[in-house]
């Protein structure tokens, strides 16, 4: 319990001060105020059990006991099972909350903290706020080297946590209590900045965590961080409007910035008024419902023929909230019009200047509303609108043919697209589909019929295997009124199934659809297309020649999931799968639906390319042929300068 002093200070340990500070932080946008930190995820070890762990315990018991200082609202603690996974859960939560709320993650010294490195990279690449409280070595060095300390002969102030520096948007190490206020405020500045946000890492030496200090009481007053909506310059709005009026085949590329700005309605109003069709990135999918006549669906390497056909002809590309990843631009082969120009609406200058575009540094909603006003009376020709609607319908017919291909009936094993079709049939419009890596994100990007805002959640900035289950748990924690369908292949499942235990413990209901195809489908197909013959991508015994081409391994992932405490249903046919999914949706428990799928089944081809180099010299005929095709595609690449 803290001690109030007459001098206006509060005596707390560093860790207690951190917890109290977190409980007093709020964000505000459009007049709506929210507690910023929705919780703390943690695994305790000797580096944080007596520091942050003790502080969380004390905060919880004080709240229960009804005495002592009262936080504006308690920041609840959740036990994780893997430190990387905890960061993924925090990312899923913050993304579903449109980056207006976030979570903190605490881990012990050494491997506990370095396990968070992949999560930090994922958060920063995707520009999602998460606060990492990484435990560190003794500041006093009284017992150095302590357990799990890296000794560096170049200096005694180096620890393994320095690896967080390039992965974090903000990094600080609190060697002394006096440094904590500046570190906390610096972290909050970055976490609440839409242009700069990502992982904010505070390294807390384990002895400093437990050290007491007299803190100024104002450190713990409620602080409201306003999430700004930068407005576009009037002159720029007019310049963009002039470009649009002179364009013959304009195209909007909607990215994640549209979603985080809550600009979906503004986008719809803009395109309906102007008749400009929309292609969607992975993060931007769902900004228009899939069946809107001006929605061309996914764009780029995993895109639809509708979006990629228009993209190839577009003479003006209006990117809204996109960072133009290589998948979005099909490795800079998507936009083939010789005179194509770009307008880039973004809060981040880094993205606004890409492809030599006209940079519009502004909030997506503010910019779209301003452009709608500036373009009053303008519309693309009816024929252009009708073409977009026709291309949309034609692609949806292709999707339906893949959803109901009948491969399962013919071959006795379902195609991956058939599984997604079954999930699509059972899921309500408000339900959320979650995925991350492998072939599933590409299939979902081009085929999933997103009907409502925030119904599509695929982590594809870092494409991190293992994100699916913990990320899906974070989504459900952020949106407890929406069912969450986590689609995951056997490869990604094996990376990080551990958080199923957390879902069970915390009664966080998710539906996991586990596709067992006994290999790496995505990389297998990529390997084959690059002449590497699916080498090392199948789960097989070694054959008599020593190659991994023997019988399938007797791995039972459904039994594994059952051992972690979740309810498990097995399906073999499409009919059984639909029944199992309906059962799982109706159940209050977390349920895993296991289904065998074809390793070689394919999604519809949107006609785009992805730049993955092929060996320039090889004795293999398959590689030589692949190199010829690679050079043909490479010739289509454009610098976009």
């Amino acid at each position: 319990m803290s001690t109030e002093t007459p001098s206006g200070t509060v005596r707390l340990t560093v860790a207690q001060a951190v917890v109290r500070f977190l409980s007093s932080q709020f964000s505000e946008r459009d007049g709506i105020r929210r507690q910023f930190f929705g919780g703390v995820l943690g695994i305790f070890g000797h580096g944080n059990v007596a520091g942050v762990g003790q502080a969380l315990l004390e905060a919880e018991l004080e709240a229960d006991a009804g005495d002592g200082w009262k936080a504006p609202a308690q920041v609840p603690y959740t036990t994780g099972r893997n430190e990387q996974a905890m960061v993924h859960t925090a990312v899923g939560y913050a993304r579903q909350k449109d980056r207006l709320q976030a979570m903190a993650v605490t881990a012990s010294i050494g491997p506990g903290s370095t396990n968070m490195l992949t999560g930090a990279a994922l958060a920063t690449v995707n520009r999602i706020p998460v606060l990492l409280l990484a435990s560190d070595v003794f500041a006093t060095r009284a017992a150095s080297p302590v357990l799990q300390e890296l000794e560096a002969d170049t200096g005694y102030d180096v620890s393994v946590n320095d690896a967080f520096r390039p992965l974090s948007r903000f990094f600080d190490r609190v060697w002394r209590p006096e440094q904590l206020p500046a570190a906390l405020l610096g972290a909050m500045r970055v976490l609440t900045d839409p242009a700069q946000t990502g992982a904010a890492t505070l390294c807390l030496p384990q002895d400093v965590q437990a050290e007491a200090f007299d803190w100024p009481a104002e450190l713990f007053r409620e602080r409201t961080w306003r999430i700004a909506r930068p407005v576009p310059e009037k002159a720029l709005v007019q310049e963009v409007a002039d470009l649009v009026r002179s364009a013959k085949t304009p195209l909007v590329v909607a990215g994640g910035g549209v979603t985080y700005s809550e600009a979906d309605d503004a986008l719809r109003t803009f395109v309906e008024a102007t008749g400009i069709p929309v292609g969607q990135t992975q993060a931007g999918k769902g900004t228009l419902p899939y069946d809107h006549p001006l929605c061309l669906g996914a764009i780029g390497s995993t895109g639809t023929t509708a979006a990629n056909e228009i993209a190839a002809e577009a003479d003006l590309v209006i990117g809204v909230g996109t960072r133009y990843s290589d998948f979005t631009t099909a490795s800079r082969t998507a936009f083939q019009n010789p005179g194509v120009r770009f307008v880039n609406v973004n809060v981040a200058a880094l993205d606004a200047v890409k492809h030599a575009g006209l940079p519009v540094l502004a909030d997506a909603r503010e910019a779209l509303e301003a452009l709608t006003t500036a373009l009053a009376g303008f519309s693309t020709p009816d024929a252009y609108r009708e073409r977009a609607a026709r291309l949309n319908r034609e692609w949806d017919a292709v999707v339906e043919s893949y959803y109901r291909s009948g491969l399962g009936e013919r071959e006795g094993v379902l195609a991956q697209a058939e599984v997604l079709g079954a999930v699509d049939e059972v899921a309500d419009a408000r339900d959320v589909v979650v995925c991350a890596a492998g072939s599933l994100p590409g299939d979902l990007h081009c085929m999933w019929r997103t009907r409502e805002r925030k119904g599509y959640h695929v982590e594809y900035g870092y494409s991190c295997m293992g994100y699916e289950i913990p990320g899906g748990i974070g989504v459900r924690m952020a949106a407890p009124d929406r069912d969450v369908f986590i689609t995951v292949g056997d490869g990604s499942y094996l990376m990080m199934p551990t958080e199923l235990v957390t879902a069970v413990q915390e009664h966080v209901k998710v539906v996991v659809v586990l596709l067992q195809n006994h290999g790496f489908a995505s990389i297998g197909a990529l390997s084959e297309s690059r002449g590497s013959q699916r080498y090392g991508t199948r789960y097989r015994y070694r054959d008599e020649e020593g190659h991994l081409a023997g019988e399938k391994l007797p791995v039972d992932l459904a039994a594994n999931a059952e051992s972690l405490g979740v309810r498990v249903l097995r399906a073999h046919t499409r009919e059984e799968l639909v029944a199992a999914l309906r059962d799982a949706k109706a159940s209050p428990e977390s349920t895993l639906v296991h289904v065998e799928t074809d390793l070689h089944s394919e999604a519809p081809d949107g006609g785009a390319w992805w730049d993955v180099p092929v060996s320039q010299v090889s004795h293999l005929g398959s590689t030589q042929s692949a190199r010829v095709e690679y050079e043909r595609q490479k010739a289509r690449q454009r610098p976009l300068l």
Side-chain angles (χ1 to χ4, degrees):
M1 187 177 297
S2 63
T3 302
E4 302 286 347
T5 68
S7 62
T9 60
V10 184
R11 190 160 183 80
L12 296 166
T13 68
V14 167
Q16 291 162 359
V18 169
V19 172
R20 182 170 295 198
F21 178 88
L22 298 186
S23 69
S24 301
Q25 306 308 301
F26 293 80
S27 69
E28 181 271 321
R29 187 168 72 181
D30 301 332
I32 300 173
R33 187 170 181 260
R34 310 162 179 85
Q35 186 171 22
F36 187 72
F37 289 101
V40 178
L41 295 148
I43 296 176
F44 300 127
H46 71 278
N48 63 345
V49 66
V52 175
Q54 188 279 338
L56 289 168
L57 168 66
E58 186 160 305
E60 183 175 309
L61 293 180
E62 282 191 350
D64 290 345
D67 58 3
W69 180 82
K70 289 299 169 199
Q74 187 186 347
V75 179
Y77 163 73
T78 300
T79 303
R81 268 71 196 179
N82 177 285
E83 291 87 358
Q84 179 189 145
M86 292 192 301
V87 185
H88 295 337
T89 297
V91 167
Y93 178 91
R95 179 171 167 180
Q96 193 67 20
K97 291 288 191 178
D98 288 324
R99 308 189 300 193
L100 300 172
Q101 293 176 274
M103 284 188 166
V105 184
T106 177
S108 188
I109 184 177
S113 286
T114 56
N115 279 350
M116 297 195 296
L117 288 168
T118 296
L122 181 145
T124 297
V125 165
N126 285 284
R127 292 121 189 243
I128 304 296
V130 57
L131 177 63
L132 305 180
L133 303 175
S135 298
D136 218 319
V137 298
F138 274 45
T140 61
R141 303 177 189 166
S144 185
V146 295
L147 179 64
Q148 298 173 327
E149 178 177 352
L150 169 72
E151 289 188 277
D153 56 10
T154 56
Y156 297 126
D157 62 341
V158 176
S159 86
V160 293
N161 285 349
D162 285 277
F164 282 101
R165 290 182 184 273
L167 305 178
S168 304
R169 295 297 294 172
F170 181 85
F171 176 95
D172 200 3
R173 183 178 280 113
V174 181
W175 290 115
R176 292 290 306 144
E178 295 92 335
Q179 298 170 340
L180 182 65
L184 289 170
L185 294 171
M188 286 302 302
R189 171 184 58 80
V190 169
L191 291 171
T192 57
D193 184 339
Q196 296 294 321
T197 196
T201 303
L202 298 184
C203 298
L204 303 175
Q206 53 185 306
D207 54 343
V208 174
Q209 287 184 46
E211 186 175 343
F213 188 74
D214 294 326
W215 307 96
E218 58 262 32
L219 177 63
F220 309 114
R221 67 174 172 81
E222 292 186 20
R223 295 175 189 269
T224 301
W225 301 80
R226 189 171 183 278
I227 311 298
R229 288 191 180 277
V231 298
E233 296 180 36
K234 291 182 180 179
L236 274 177
V237 171
Q238 189 56 53
E239 187 174 350
V240 174
D242 292 343
L243 287 173
V244 172
R245 291 179 187 279
S246 64
K248 291 184 172 57
T249 50
L251 171 69
V252 169
V253 175
V258 176
T259 296
Y260 300 136
S261 175
E262 298 177 287
D264 309 69
D265 290 343
L267 175 66
R268 184 169 189 155
T269 299
F270 174 75
V271 301
E272 288 177 351
T274 62
I276 302 175
V278 178
Q280 299 172 321
T281 71
Q282 279 281 11
K285 187 173 171 70
T287 48
L288 279 182
Y290 83 96
D291 56 353
H292 191 284
L294 288 167
C295 180
L296 301 172
I299 191 169
S301 298
T302 52
T304 68
T305 52
N308 288 335
E309 181 177 316
I310 296 294
E313 302 172 15
D315 57 358
L316 179 67
V317 177
I318 307 168
V320 185
T322 177
R323 64 191 186 96
Y324 290 114
S325 76
D326 63 337
F327 263 69
T328 298
T329 69
S331 298
R332 298 193 180 185
T333 62
F335 308 109
Q336 288 293 315
N337 188 311
V340 64
R341 298 190 63 179
F342 291 83
V343 170
N344 302 325
V345 177
N346 211 294
V347 292
L350 172 67
D351 298 315
V353 299
K354 288 177 178 175
H355 301 162
L358 176 65
V360 181
L361 279 171
D363 171 76
R365 194 182 77 180
E366 292 287 341
L368 287 167
E369 289 176 349
L371 285 170
T372 301
T373 300
L375 285 165
F378 167 82
S379 175
T380 59
D382 289 345
Y384 195 51
R385 288 178 181 254
E386 291 164 2
R387 181 186 176 197
R390 173 178 56 80
L391 290 173
N392 177 306
R393 292 192 302 270
E394 290 174 354
W395 180 260
D396 194 55
V398 171
V399 170
E400 185 65 18
S401 71
Y402 273 78
Y403 274 1
R404 297 188 177 273
S405 67
L407 180 71
E409 294 179 10
R410 296 192 304 272
E411 304 294 335
V413 60
L414 291 172
Q416 187 161 283
E418 288 182 288
V419 175
L420 298 183
V423 178
D424 181 82
E425 180 179 330
V426 173
D428 291 338
R430 293 195 72 253
D431 294 343
V432 185
V433 64
V434 176
C435 195
S439 57
L440 278 166
D443 289 6
L444 286 164
H445 192 210
C446 69
M447 289 192 289
W448 186 255
R449 292 163 169 165
T450 307
R451 288 161 281 180
E452 288 203 16
R453 184 177 185 275
K454 308 297 288 189
Y456 182 86
H457 184 113
V458 172
E459 188 288 299
Y460 216 58
Y462 207 50
S463 185
C464 185
M465 295 177 71
Y467 173 89
E468 296 89 344
I469 291 173
I473 291 170
V475 171
R476 176 70 184 201
M477 292 172 75
D481 60 334
R482 303 176 76 164
D483 271 327
V484 175
F485 287 86
I486 300 169
T487 58
V488 60
D490 47 358
S492 277
Y493 175 86
L494 283 167
M495 292 279 183
M496 208 159 289
T498 53
E499 303 316 287
L500 288 173
V501 180
T502 297
V504 171
Q505 175 177 298
E506 299 294 333
H507 299 287
V508 177
K509 181 210 168 178
V510 292
V511 178
V512 181
V513 184
L514 173 55
L515 290 77
Q516 169 67 281
N517 55 28
H518 305 279
F520 296 117
S522 173
I523 295 303
L526 181 65
S527 170
E528 189 169 47
S529 70
R530 274 23 180 205
S532 296
Q533 304 173 16
R534 294 184 178 259
Y535 180 71
T537 63
R538 299 182 181 91
Y539 299 160
R540 300 289 190 274
Y541 284 112
R542 293 193 180 276
D543 60 19
E544 293 180 356
E545 297 178 352
H547 304 304
L548 294 173
E551 295 296 318
K552 294 177 182 177
L553 300 178
V555 176
D556 190 341
L557 298 183
N560 171 264
E562 200 165 34
S563 75
L564 298 176
V566 298
R567 182 167 169 262
V568 172
L569 302 172
R570 296 176 187 257
H572 301 91
T573 66
R574 193 183 189 282
E575 183 179 5
E576 290 177 357
L577 176 59
V578 169
L581 291 169
R582 293 193 191 282
D583 186 331
K585 182 169 171 56
S587 173
E589 303 175 65
S590 284
T591 304
L592 182 141
V593 179
H594 180 278
V595 58
E596 295 270 345
T597 57
D598 179 19
L599 181 63
H600 303 284
S601 61
E602 297 179 349
D605 184 5
W609 181 65
W610 183 37
D611 191 347
V612 176
V614 179
S615 296
Q616 198 165 8
V617 176
S618 174
H619 298 296
L620 300 177
S622 58
T623 306
Q624 293 169 2
S625 298
R627 180 69 193 188
V628 172
E629 173 62 16
Y630 177 75
E631 291 177 353
R632 185 182 74 83
Q633 295 284 1
K634 191 77 173 170
R636 300 175 59 243
Q637 218 165 22
R638 303 184 60 193
L640 298 177
L641 298 174

